[in-house]
Structure formats: structure tokens, C-alpha cells
């Protein structure tokens, strides 16, 4: 189905068409396990968000269900974005990229899960820390790919 047939997801498809699978850096799982409130219901909702993003797309910004995406993150020079799922005061984020490395053309790469609270006066500091960490994980992933290509 074309992006024109899905007007709420047109921006997603323009950026990510053909990226229908997820890969993840090792830190992604650790960030989920370290989340104080991570439970099986929340994990199921996050997996559903990621699946929906890859299969159907998401609206830019936030849709009526509190789910959407932002791309790119202004804080990073590399192309990082986040999937968002806002539930009440909780703002769940899955930081990701669409790698250009050979062999990853059909993948989205999950870098980190982050949680912030809308009423936290330091939410911007928390968010910037998440973005910086996700960026660092992406740089490490890229370095690992370069080493593998060189056969080192």
C-alpha cells in the first residue's frame, strides 16, 4: 500500500519505506531491563509499537492514541529518531535509527528505551541523556560493523 493510501503515515513512509524489520543493539535490552516500571504488559505494548511502526508506519508527532515518531532528533548529527508512546504522565521512547550500512537497508535499529515523566521539571535533562546514550550506542554499533567489514 502506498503512503498516499495512508495519509496519517505519509511522513513515515517517505522516510522509511522498505524498512520492515527490527534489529537492536545489545544495550537496547539492557535499557528495557533497567526500567524501574518495566513489566510484561508494558513490554508487550512497546513490541506492538515497534511492530506497528515497521508494518504500518506511525504519524509524525503524536496521533490520537498517543503514539507517533519524531525524526530526526535535532540534538544528534546522525539520523536518530524516536518512537513515542505517551500514557498519562509517562512518556515512553524507543530511540532508533535507519542504518545505511550494507545489509541493513531493510532494518530499523533499536538503540535504547527511555522513560521520562511529563511533570518532571528536569525532563529535558533526562531526555538529552537518553539521546546522548542512544547516539553513543549507535556510534559503537557502527564501529563494530566497520571492524567486521575489515575482518579484524
Amino acid at each position: 500500500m502506498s503512503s498516499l493510501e495512508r495519509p496519517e503515515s505519509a511522513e513515515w513512509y517517505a522516510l522509511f519505506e522498505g524498512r520492515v524489520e527490527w534489529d537492536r543493539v545489545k544495550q537496547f535490552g539492557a535499557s528495557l531491563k533497567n526500567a524501574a516500571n518495566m513489566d510484561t504488559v508494558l513490554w508487550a505494548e512497546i513490541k506492538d509499537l515497534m511492530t506497528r511502526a515497521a508494518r504500518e508506519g506511525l504519524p509524525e508527532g503524536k496521533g490520537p492514541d498517543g503514539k507517533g515518531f519524531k525524526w530526526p532528533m535535532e540534538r544528534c548529527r546522525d539520523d536518530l529518531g524516536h518512537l513515542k508512546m505517551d500514557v498519562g504522565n509517562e512518556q515512553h521512547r524507543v530511540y532508533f535509527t535507519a542504518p545505511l550500512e550494507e545489509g541493513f537497508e531493510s532494518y530499523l535499529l533499536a538503540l535504547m528505551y527511555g522513560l521520562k515523566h511529563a511533570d518532571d521539571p528536569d525532563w529535558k535533562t533526562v531526555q538529552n541523556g537518553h539521546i546522548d546514550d542512544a547516539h553513543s550506542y549507535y556510534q559503537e554499533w557502527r564501529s563494530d560493523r566497520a571492524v567486521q567489514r575489515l575482518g579484524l
Side-chain angles (χ1 to χ4, degrees):
M1 194 173 284
S2 77
S3 61
L4 296 176
E5 295 169 298
R6 299 175 190 247
E8 80 166 2
S9 300
E11 297 89 352
W12 178 272
Y13 282 98
L15 291 167
F16 307 112
E17 188 170 20
R19 293 186 182 269
V20 297
E21 301 176 71
W22 281 96
D23 198 359
R24 57 184 173 220
V25 299
K26 60 186 173 203
Q27 295 91 338
F28 179 72
S31 67
L32 286 168
K33 289 178 185 172
N34 290 336
N37 68 341
M38 181 52 67
D39 59 34
T40 56
V41 173
L42 181 57
W43 173 228
E45 290 176 356
I46 289 172
K47 285 195 313 190
D48 182 64
L49 178 70
M50 293 170 69
T51 300
R52 178 177 161 194
R55 289 189 184 160
E56 303 167 23
L58 290 169
E60 187 171 25
K62 183 169 54 173
D65 62 356
K67 298 175 182 175
F69 81 99
K70 181 176 183 180
W71 182 275
M73 305 295 296
E74 291 87 12
R75 186 168 175 84
C76 295
R77 291 183 183 179
D78 293 309
D79 292 327
L80 268 62
H82 68 236
L83 304 182
K84 60 174 69 178
M85 181 175 72
D86 293 348
V87 182
N89 188 46
E90 294 182 341
Q91 297 181 335
H92 304 274
R93 302 294 185 259
V94 173
Y95 295 90
F96 74 98
T97 190
L100 298 175
E101 281 76 6
E102 185 177 329
F104 288 89
E105 297 87 352
S106 67
Y107 286 90
L108 295 166
L109 183 64
L111 302 167
M112 185 184 152
Y113 163 78
L115 171 66
K116 62 182 180 170
H117 294 89
D119 64 357
D120 181 352
D122 294 323
W123 69 266
K124 185 80 166 176
T125 301
V126 171
Q127 175 180 279
N128 285 345
H130 291 162
I131 294 167
D132 292 346
D133 288 346
H135 181 256
S136 174
Y137 301 154
Y138 181 43
Q139 292 306 313
E140 183 179 327
W141 181 88
R142 292 180 77 196
S143 293
D144 290 348
R145 298 292 82 68
V147 167
Q148 288 175 359
R149 277 194 318 272
L150 294 173
L152 300 175

Coordinates of all heavy atoms in Angstrom, one line a residue, residues 2-85:
S2 N 0.5 2.2 -0.8 CA 1.4 3.4 -0.9 C 1.1 4.4 0.3 O 0.1 4.3 0.9 CB 1.1 4.1 -2.2 OG -0.1 4.8 -2.1
S3 N 2.0 5.3 0.5 CA 1.8 6.3 1.5 C 0.6 7.2 1.3 O 0.0 7.7 2.2 CB 3.1 7.2 1.7 OG 3.3 7.9 0.5
L4 N 0.2 7.3 0.0 CA -0.9 8.1 -0.3 C -2.2 7.5 0.2 O -3.2 8.1 0.5 CB -1.0 8.4 -1.8 CG 0.1 9.2 -2.4 CD1 0.0 9.3 -3.9 CD2 0.2 10.6 -1.7
E5 N -2.2 6.2 0.4 CA -3.4 5.5 0.9 C -3.4 5.5 2.4 O -4.3 5.0 3.0 CB -3.3 4.0 0.4 CG -3.5 3.9 -1.1 CD -3.2 2.5 -1.7 OE1 -2.1 2.1 -1.5 OE2 -4.2 1.9 -2.2
R6 N -2.3 6.0 3.0 CA -2.2 6.0 4.5 C -1.8 7.5 4.9 O -0.7 7.7 5.3 CB -1.2 5.1 5.0 CG -1.5 3.6 4.7 CD -0.3 2.8 5.2 NE -0.4 1.5 4.7 CZ -0.5 0.4 5.5 NH1 -0.7 0.6 6.8 NH2 -0.6 -0.8 5.0
P7 N -2.7 8.4 4.8 CA -2.3 9.8 5.0 C -1.7 10.1 6.3 O -0.8 10.9 6.4 CB -3.6 10.6 4.8 CG -4.7 9.6 4.8 CD -4.1 8.3 4.5
E8 N -2.1 9.4 7.4 CA -1.5 9.7 8.7 C -0.1 9.2 8.8 O 0.7 9.7 9.6 CB -2.4 9.2 9.9 CG -2.1 7.7 10.1 CD -2.7 7.2 11.4 OE1 -3.3 8.0 12.2 OE2 -2.5 6.0 11.8
S9 N 0.3 8.3 7.9 CA 1.7 7.8 8.0 C 2.5 8.2 6.8 O 3.6 7.6 6.5 CB 1.6 6.2 8.0 OG 0.9 5.8 9.1
A10 N 2.1 9.2 6.0 CA 2.8 9.6 4.8 C 4.2 10.0 5.1 O 5.1 9.6 4.4 CB 2.1 10.7 4.1
E11 N 4.5 10.7 6.2 CA 5.8 11.1 6.5 C 6.7 9.9 6.8 O 7.9 9.8 6.5 CB 5.8 12.1 7.7 CG 5.1 13.4 7.5 CD 3.6 13.3 7.8 OE1 3.1 12.2 8.1 OE2 3.0 14.3 7.7
W12 N 6.1 8.9 7.6 CA 6.9 7.7 7.9 C 7.3 7.0 6.7 O 8.4 6.6 6.5 CB 6.0 6.8 8.8 CG 6.7 5.5 9.2 CD1 6.7 4.4 8.5 CD2 7.6 5.3 10.3 NE1 7.5 3.4 9.1 CE2 8.0 4.0 10.2 CE3 8.0 6.1 11.3 CZ2 8.9 3.4 11.1 CZ3 8.8 5.5 12.3 CH2 9.3 4.2 12.2
Y13 N 6.3 6.8 5.8 CA 6.7 6.0 4.6 C 7.6 6.7 3.7 O 8.5 6.1 3.0 CB 5.4 5.6 3.8 CG 4.7 4.5 4.5 CD1 3.7 4.7 5.3 CD2 5.2 3.2 4.2 CE1 3.1 3.6 5.9 CE2 4.6 2.1 4.9 CZ 3.5 2.3 5.7 OH 2.9 1.2 6.3
A14 N 7.6 8.0 3.7 CA 8.5 8.8 2.9 C 10.0 8.6 3.4 O 10.9 8.6 2.6 CB 8.2 10.3 2.9
L15 N 10.1 8.4 4.6 CA 11.5 8.2 5.2 C 11.9 6.8 5.3 O 13.1 6.4 5.1 CB 11.5 8.8 6.6 CG 11.4 10.3 6.8 CD1 11.1 10.7 8.2 CD2 12.7 10.9 6.2
F16 N 10.9 5.9 5.6 CA 11.3 4.5 6.0 C 10.7 3.4 5.2 O 10.8 2.2 5.5 CB 10.9 4.3 7.5 CG 11.4 5.3 8.4 CD1 10.6 6.2 9.0 CD2 12.8 5.4 8.6 CE1 11.1 7.2 9.8 CE2 13.3 6.4 9.4 CZ 12.5 7.3 10.0
E17 N 10.1 3.7 4.0 CA 9.5 2.6 3.2 C 10.6 1.6 2.9 O 11.7 1.8 2.6 CB 9.0 3.2 1.9 CG 8.2 2.2 1.1 CD 7.5 2.9 -0.1 OE1 7.9 4.0 -0.5 OE2 6.5 2.2 -0.5
G18 N 10.2 0.3 3.1 CA 11.0 -0.8 2.9 C 11.8 -1.3 4.1 O 12.4 -2.4 4.1
R19 N 11.7 -0.5 5.2 CA 12.4 -0.9 6.4 C 11.3 -1.6 7.3 O 10.6 -0.9 8.0 CB 13.0 0.3 7.1 CG 14.2 0.8 6.3 CD 14.9 1.9 7.1 NE 16.0 2.5 6.3 CZ 17.2 2.1 6.3 NH1 17.6 1.1 7.1 NH2 18.1 2.7 5.6
V20 N 11.3 -2.9 7.1 CA 10.2 -3.7 7.7 C 10.6 -4.6 8.9 O 9.8 -5.3 9.4 CB 9.4 -4.5 6.7 CG1 8.7 -3.5 5.7 CG2 10.3 -5.4 6.0
E21 N 11.9 -4.5 9.2 CA 12.4 -5.4 10.3 C 13.1 -4.6 11.3 O 13.6 -3.5 11.0 CB 13.4 -6.4 9.7 CG 12.8 -7.3 8.6 CD 13.8 -8.2 8.0 OE1 14.3 -9.2 8.7 OE2 14.2 -8.0 6.9
W22 N 13.2 -5.2 12.5 CA 14.0 -4.5 13.6 C 15.2 -5.3 13.9 O 15.1 -6.6 14.0 CB 13.1 -4.4 14.9 CG 12.1 -3.3 14.8 CD1 10.8 -3.3 14.4 CD2 12.4 -1.9 15.1 NE1 10.3 -2.1 14.5 CE2 11.2 -1.2 14.9 CE3 13.5 -1.2 15.6 CZ2 11.1 0.2 15.2 CZ3 13.4 0.2 15.8 CH2 12.2 0.8 15.6
D23 N 16.3 -4.7 14.2 CA 17.4 -5.2 14.8 C 17.6 -4.4 16.1 O 17.0 -3.3 16.2 CB 18.6 -5.2 13.9 CG 19.8 -6.1 14.3 OD1 19.6 -6.8 15.4 OD2 20.8 -6.2 13.7
R24 N 18.5 -4.8 17.0 CA 18.7 -3.9 18.1 C 20.2 -4.1 18.6 O 20.8 -5.1 18.4 CB 17.7 -4.3 19.2 CG 17.8 -5.7 19.6 CD 16.7 -6.0 20.7 NE 16.7 -7.4 20.9 CZ 15.6 -8.1 21.0 NH1 14.4 -7.5 21.0 NH2 15.6 -9.4 21.2
V25 N 20.7 -3.0 19.2 CA 22.0 -3.1 19.8 C 21.8 -3.8 21.2 O 20.7 -3.9 21.7 CB 22.6 -1.7 20.0 CG1 22.8 -1.0 18.6 CG2 21.8 -0.8 20.9
K26 N 22.9 -4.3 21.7 CA 22.8 -5.1 23.0 C 22.3 -4.2 24.1 O 21.6 -4.7 25.0 CB 24.2 -5.7 23.3 CG 25.3 -4.6 23.5 CD 26.6 -5.3 23.7 CE 27.7 -4.2 23.7 NZ 29.0 -4.7 23.4
Q27 N 22.6 -2.9 24.1 CA 22.2 -2.0 25.1 C 20.6 -1.8 25.2 O 20.1 -1.4 26.2 CB 22.8 -0.6 25.0 CG 24.3 -0.7 25.2 CD 25.1 -0.9 23.9 OE1 24.5 -1.4 22.9 NE2 26.3 -0.5 23.9
F28 N 20.0 -2.1 24.0 CA 18.5 -1.9 24.0 C 17.8 -2.8 25.0 O 17.0 -2.3 25.8 CB 18.0 -2.2 22.6 CG 16.5 -2.0 22.5 CD1 15.9 -0.8 22.5 CD2 15.6 -3.1 22.4 CE1 14.5 -0.6 22.5 CE2 14.3 -3.0 22.3 CZ 13.7 -1.7 22.3
G29 N 18.2 -4.1 25.0 CA 17.6 -5.0 26.0 C 18.0 -4.6 27.4 O 17.1 -4.7 28.3
A30 N 19.2 -4.1 27.7 CA 19.6 -3.7 29.0 C 18.8 -2.5 29.4 O 18.4 -2.4 30.6 CB 21.1 -3.4 29.0
S31 N 18.5 -1.6 28.5 CA 17.7 -0.4 28.9 C 16.3 -0.8 29.3 O 15.7 -0.1 30.1 CB 17.7 0.7 27.8 OG 17.0 0.3 26.6
L32 N 15.7 -1.8 28.6 CA 14.4 -2.3 29.0 C 14.4 -2.9 30.4 O 13.6 -2.7 31.2 CB 13.9 -3.3 28.0 CG 13.5 -2.7 26.6 CD1 13.3 -3.8 25.6 CD2 12.2 -1.9 26.8
K33 N 15.4 -3.7 30.6 CA 15.5 -4.4 31.9 C 15.8 -3.5 33.1 O 15.3 -3.7 34.2 CB 16.6 -5.5 31.9 CG 16.3 -6.7 31.0 CD 17.5 -7.6 31.0 CE 17.2 -8.8 30.0 NZ 18.3 -9.6 29.8
N34 N 16.5 -2.4 32.8 CA 16.8 -1.4 33.8 C 15.6 -0.5 34.1 O 15.7 0.3 35.1 CB 18.0 -0.6 33.4 CG 19.3 -1.4 33.5 OD1 19.4 -2.4 34.2 ND2 20.3 -1.0 32.7
A35 N 14.6 -0.4 33.3 CA 13.5 0.4 33.5 C 12.7 0.0 34.8 O 12.3 -1.2 34.9 CB 12.5 0.4 32.3
A36 N 12.6 0.9 35.7 CA 12.1 0.5 37.0 C 10.6 0.0 36.9 O 10.2 -0.9 37.7 CB 12.1 1.7 38.0
N37 N 9.9 0.5 36.0 CA 8.5 0.1 35.9 C 8.2 -0.9 34.7 O 7.1 -1.2 34.4 CB 7.6 1.3 35.7 CG 7.8 2.0 34.4 OD1 8.8 1.7 33.7 ND2 6.9 2.8 34.0
M38 N 9.3 -1.5 34.2 CA 9.1 -2.4 33.1 C 8.4 -3.7 33.6 O 8.8 -4.3 34.5 CB 10.4 -2.8 32.5 CG 10.3 -3.7 31.3 SD 9.2 -3.2 30.0 CE 10.0 -1.8 29.4
D39 N 7.3 -4.0 32.9 CA 6.6 -5.2 33.2 C 6.1 -5.8 31.9 O 6.4 -5.3 30.8 CB 5.4 -4.9 34.1 CG 4.4 -3.9 33.5 OD1 4.2 -3.9 32.3 OD2 3.8 -3.2 34.3
T40 N 5.5 -7.0 32.0 CA 5.2 -7.7 30.7 C 4.2 -7.0 29.9 O 4.2 -7.1 28.7 CB 4.7 -9.2 31.1 OG1 3.6 -9.1 32.0 CG2 5.8 -10.0 31.7
V41 N 3.2 -6.3 30.5 CA 2.2 -5.5 29.8 C 2.9 -4.4 29.0 O 2.7 -4.2 27.8 CB 1.1 -5.0 30.7 CG1 0.2 -4.1 29.9 CG2 0.3 -6.2 31.3
L42 N 3.8 -3.6 29.7 CA 4.4 -2.5 29.0 C 5.3 -3.1 27.9 O 5.4 -2.5 26.8 CB 5.3 -1.7 30.0 CG 6.0 -0.5 29.5 CD1 5.1 0.4 28.8 CD2 6.8 0.2 30.6
W43 N 6.1 -4.1 28.2 CA 6.9 -4.7 27.1 C 6.1 -5.1 25.9 O 6.5 -4.9 24.7 CB 7.8 -5.9 27.6 CG 8.5 -6.6 26.6 CD1 8.6 -7.9 26.4 CD2 9.4 -6.0 25.6 NE1 9.4 -8.2 25.4 CE2 9.9 -7.1 24.8 CE3 9.7 -4.8 25.2 CZ2 10.8 -6.9 23.7 CZ3 10.6 -4.6 24.1 CH2 11.1 -5.7 23.4
A44 N 4.9 -5.7 26.1 CA 4.1 -6.1 25.0 C 3.6 -4.8 24.2 O 3.6 -4.9 23.0 CB 2.8 -6.8 25.5
E45 N 3.3 -3.7 24.9 CA 2.9 -2.5 24.3 C 4.1 -1.9 23.5 O 3.9 -1.4 22.4 CB 2.4 -1.5 25.3 CG 1.1 -1.9 25.9 CD 0.6 -0.9 27.0 OE1 1.3 0.0 27.3 OE2 -0.5 -1.2 27.5
I46 N 5.3 -2.0 24.0 CA 6.4 -1.5 23.2 C 6.7 -2.3 22.0 O 7.0 -1.8 20.9 CB 7.7 -1.4 24.2 CG1 7.4 -0.2 25.2 CG2 8.9 -1.1 23.4 CD1 8.4 -0.1 26.3
K47 N 6.7 -3.6 22.2 CA 6.8 -4.5 21.0 C 5.8 -4.2 19.9 O 6.1 -4.2 18.7 CB 6.8 -6.0 21.4 CG 8.0 -6.5 22.1 CD 8.2 -8.0 22.2 CE 6.9 -8.7 22.7 NZ 7.1 -10.1 23.0
D48 N 4.5 -4.0 20.4 CA 3.5 -3.7 19.4 C 3.7 -2.3 18.7 O 3.5 -2.2 17.5 CB 2.1 -3.6 20.2 CG 1.0 -3.3 19.3 OD1 0.7 -4.1 18.4 OD2 0.3 -2.2 19.4
L49 N 4.2 -1.4 19.5 CA 4.6 -0.1 18.9 C 5.7 -0.2 17.8 O 5.5 0.3 16.7 CB 5.1 0.9 20.0 CG 5.6 2.3 19.5 CD1 4.4 3.1 19.1 CD2 6.3 2.9 20.7
M50 N 6.7 -1.0 18.1 CA 7.8 -1.3 17.1 C 7.2 -2.0 15.9 O 7.6 -1.7 14.8 CB 8.9 -2.0 17.8 CG 9.6 -1.2 18.9 SD 10.8 -2.1 19.9 CE 12.1 -2.5 18.7
T51 N 6.4 -3.0 16.1 CA 5.8 -3.8 15.0 C 5.0 -2.9 14.2 O 5.0 -2.9 12.9 CB 5.0 -5.0 15.6 OG1 5.9 -5.8 16.3 CG2 4.4 -5.8 14.5
R52 N 4.1 -2.1 14.8 CA 3.3 -1.2 14.1 C 4.1 -0.2 13.3 O 3.7 0.1 12.1 CB 2.4 -0.4 15.1 CG 1.4 0.6 14.4 CD 0.5 1.2 15.4 NE 0.0 2.4 14.9 CZ -0.6 3.3 15.6 NH1 -0.7 3.2 16.9 NH2 -1.1 4.4 15.1
A53 N 5.1 0.3 13.8 CA 6.0 1.2 13.1 C 6.5 0.6 11.8 O 6.5 1.2 10.7 CB 7.1 1.7 14.0
A54 N 7.0 -0.6 11.9 CA 7.6 -1.3 10.8 C 6.6 -1.7 9.8 O 6.9 -1.7 8.5 CB 8.5 -2.5 11.2
R55 N 5.5 -2.2 10.2 CA 4.5 -2.7 9.3 C 3.5 -1.7 8.7 O 3.1 -1.7 7.5 CB 3.6 -3.8 10.0 CG 4.4 -5.0 10.2 CD 3.5 -6.1 10.7 NE 4.4 -7.3 11.0 CZ 4.0 -8.3 11.8 NH1 2.8 -8.3 12.3 NH2 4.8 -9.3 12.0
E56 N 3.1 -0.7 9.5 CA 2.1 0.2 9.1 C 2.5 1.7 9.1 O 1.9 2.5 8.5 CB 0.9 0.2 10.1 CG 0.3 -1.2 10.3 CD -0.7 -1.3 11.5 OE1 -1.2 -0.2 11.9 OE2 -0.9 -2.4 12.0
G57 N 3.6 2.0 9.8 CA 4.0 3.4 9.9 C 3.3 4.0 11.1 O 2.4 3.4 11.7
L58 N 3.8 5.2 11.5 CA 3.2 5.9 12.6 C 3.1 7.4 12.2 O 3.8 7.8 11.3 CB 4.2 5.9 13.8 CG 4.3 4.5 14.5 CD1 5.4 4.6 15.5 CD2 3.0 4.2 15.3
P59 N 2.2 8.1 12.8 CA 2.1 9.5 12.4 C 3.3 10.3 13.0 O 3.8 10.0 14.0 CB 0.8 10.0 13.1 CG 0.5 9.0 14.2 CD 1.2 7.7 13.7
E60 N 3.7 11.3 12.3 CA 4.7 12.2 12.8 C 4.2 13.0 13.9 O 3.0 13.4 13.9 CB 5.2 13.1 11.7 CG 6.4 13.9 12.1 CD 7.1 14.7 10.9 OE1 6.3 15.0 10.0 OE2 8.3 14.9 11.0
G61 N 5.0 13.2 15.0 CA 4.5 13.8 16.2 C 3.8 12.8 17.0 O 4.4 11.9 17.5
K62 N 2.5 13.0 17.2 CA 1.7 12.1 18.1 C 0.3 12.0 17.5 O -0.3 13.0 17.3 CB 1.7 12.6 19.5 CG 1.1 11.7 20.5 CD 1.3 12.1 21.9 CE 1.0 13.5 22.2 NZ 1.1 13.9 23.6
G63 N -0.2 10.7 17.4 CA -1.5 10.5 16.9 C -2.5 10.6 18.1 O -2.1 10.8 19.2
P64 N -3.8 10.4 17.8 CA -4.8 10.5 18.9 C -4.6 9.4 20.0 O -5.1 9.6 21.1 CB -6.1 10.3 18.1 CG -5.8 10.0 16.7 CD -4.3 10.2 16.5
D65 N -3.9 8.3 19.6 CA -3.7 7.3 20.6 C -2.4 7.5 21.4 O -2.0 6.7 22.2 CB -3.6 5.9 20.0 CG -2.5 5.7 19.0 OD1 -1.8 6.7 18.7 OD2 -2.4 4.6 18.4
G66 N -1.7 8.7 21.2 CA -0.5 9.0 22.0 C 0.7 8.4 21.4 O 1.8 8.5 22.0
K67 N 0.6 7.7 20.2 CA 1.7 7.1 19.6 C 2.1 7.8 18.4 O 1.3 8.4 17.6 CB 1.4 5.6 19.3 CG 1.1 4.8 20.5 CD 0.6 3.4 20.2 CE 0.3 2.7 21.5 NZ -0.3 1.4 21.2
G68 N 3.4 7.8 18.1 CA 3.9 8.5 16.9 C 5.4 8.4 16.8 O 6.0 7.5 17.5
F69 N 6.1 9.3 16.0 CA 7.5 9.2 15.9 C 8.0 10.7 15.7 O 7.3 11.6 15.3 CB 7.9 8.4 14.7 CG 7.9 9.0 13.4 CD1 9.0 9.5 12.8 CD2 6.7 9.1 12.7 CE1 8.9 10.1 11.5 CE2 6.6 9.7 11.4 CZ 7.7 10.2 10.8
K70 N 9.3 10.8 15.9 CA 10.0 12.1 15.6 C 11.3 11.7 14.9 O 12.0 10.8 15.4 CB 10.3 12.8 16.9 CG 11.0 14.2 16.6 CD 11.2 15.0 17.8 CE 11.9 16.3 17.4 NZ 12.1 17.1 18.6
W71 N 11.6 12.4 13.8 CA 12.8 12.1 13.0 C 13.2 13.4 12.3 O 12.3 14.0 11.7 CB 12.5 11.0 12.0 CG 13.7 10.7 11.2 CD1 14.1 11.3 10.0 CD2 14.6 9.6 11.4 NE1 15.3 10.7 9.6 CE2 15.6 9.7 10.4 CE3 14.7 8.6 12.4 CZ2 16.6 8.8 10.3 CZ3 15.8 7.8 12.3 CH2 16.7 7.8 11.3
P72 N 14.4 13.8 12.3 CA 15.5 13.3 13.2 C 15.4 14.1 14.5 O 14.7 15.1 14.6 CB 16.7 13.7 12.4 CG 16.3 14.9 11.6 CD 14.9 14.7 11.3
M73 N 16.3 13.6 15.4 CA 16.4 14.3 16.7 C 17.4 15.5 16.4 O 18.5 15.2 15.9 CB 17.0 13.4 17.7 CG 16.2 12.1 18.0 SD 14.5 12.4 18.6 CE 14.9 13.1 20.2
E74 N 17.0 16.7 16.7 CA 17.9 17.8 16.5 C 19.2 17.8 17.2 O 20.2 18.3 16.8 CB 17.2 19.1 16.9 CG 16.0 19.5 16.0 CD 14.7 18.9 16.4 OE1 14.6 18.3 17.5 OE2 13.8 18.9 15.6
R75 N 19.2 17.1 18.4 CA 20.4 17.0 19.2 C 21.6 16.2 18.6 O 22.7 16.4 18.9 CB 20.0 16.4 20.6 CG 21.2 16.5 21.6 CD 20.6 16.1 23.0 NE 21.7 16.1 23.9 CZ 22.2 17.1 24.6 NH1 21.8 18.3 24.3 NH2 23.2 16.9 25.4
C76 N 21.2 15.3 17.6 CA 22.3 14.5 17.1 C 22.5 14.8 15.6 O 21.6 15.1 14.9 CB 21.8 13.0 17.1 SG 21.6 12.4 18.8
R77 N 23.8 14.7 15.3 CA 24.1 15.0 13.8 C 23.7 13.8 13.0 O 23.4 13.9 11.8 CB 25.6 15.2 13.7 CG 26.0 16.5 14.3 CD 27.5 16.8 14.1 NE 27.8 18.1 14.7 CZ 29.0 18.5 14.8 NH1 30.0 17.9 14.2 NH2 29.3 19.7 15.4
D78 N 23.8 12.6 13.6 CA 23.4 11.4 12.9 C 21.9 11.3 12.9 O 21.2 12.0 13.6 CB 24.0 10.1 13.6 CG 25.5 10.1 13.4 OD1 26.0 10.2 12.3 OD2 26.1 9.9 14.5
D79 N 21.4 10.5 12.0 CA 19.9 10.3 11.9 C 19.4 9.4 12.9 O 19.2 8.2 12.7 CB 19.6 9.8 10.5 CG 19.9 10.8 9.4 OD1 19.8 12.0 9.7 OD2 20.3 10.4 8.3
L80 N 19.0 10.0 14.0 CA 18.4 9.3 15.1 C 17.0 9.9 15.3 O 16.8 11.1 15.1 CB 19.1 9.4 16.4 CG 20.1 8.4 16.8 CD1 21.3 8.3 15.8 CD2 20.7 8.6 18.2
G81 N 16.0 9.0 15.7 CA 14.7 9.4 16.0 C 14.2 8.7 17.1 O 14.9 7.9 17.8
H82 N 12.9 8.9 17.5 CA 12.3 8.1 18.5 C 10.9 7.7 18.1 O 10.2 8.5 17.5 CB 12.4 8.7 19.9 CG 11.6 9.9 20.1 ND1 12.2 11.1 20.5 CD2 10.3 10.2 20.0 CE1 11.3 12.0 20.7 NE2 10.1 11.5 20.3
L83 N 10.5 6.6 18.6 CA 9.1 6.2 18.6 C 8.6 6.7 19.9 O 9.3 6.6 20.9 CB 8.9 4.7 18.5 CG 9.5 4.0 17.3 CD1 9.2 2.5 17.4 CD2 9.1 4.5 16.0
K84 N 7.3 7.2 20.0 CA 6.8 7.6 21.2 C 5.5 7.0 21.5 O 4.7 6.7 20.7 CB 6.7 9.2 21.3 CG 5.8 9.7 20.2 CD 5.5 11.2 20.3 CE 6.8 12.0 20.0 NZ 6.5 13.5 20.1
M85 N 5.3 6.8 22.8 CA 4.1 6.2 23.4 C 3.8 7.0 24.7 O 4.5 6.7 25.7 CB 4.2 4.7 23.6 CG 2.9 4.1 24.1 SD 3.0 2.3 24.2 CE 4.1 2.1 25.6

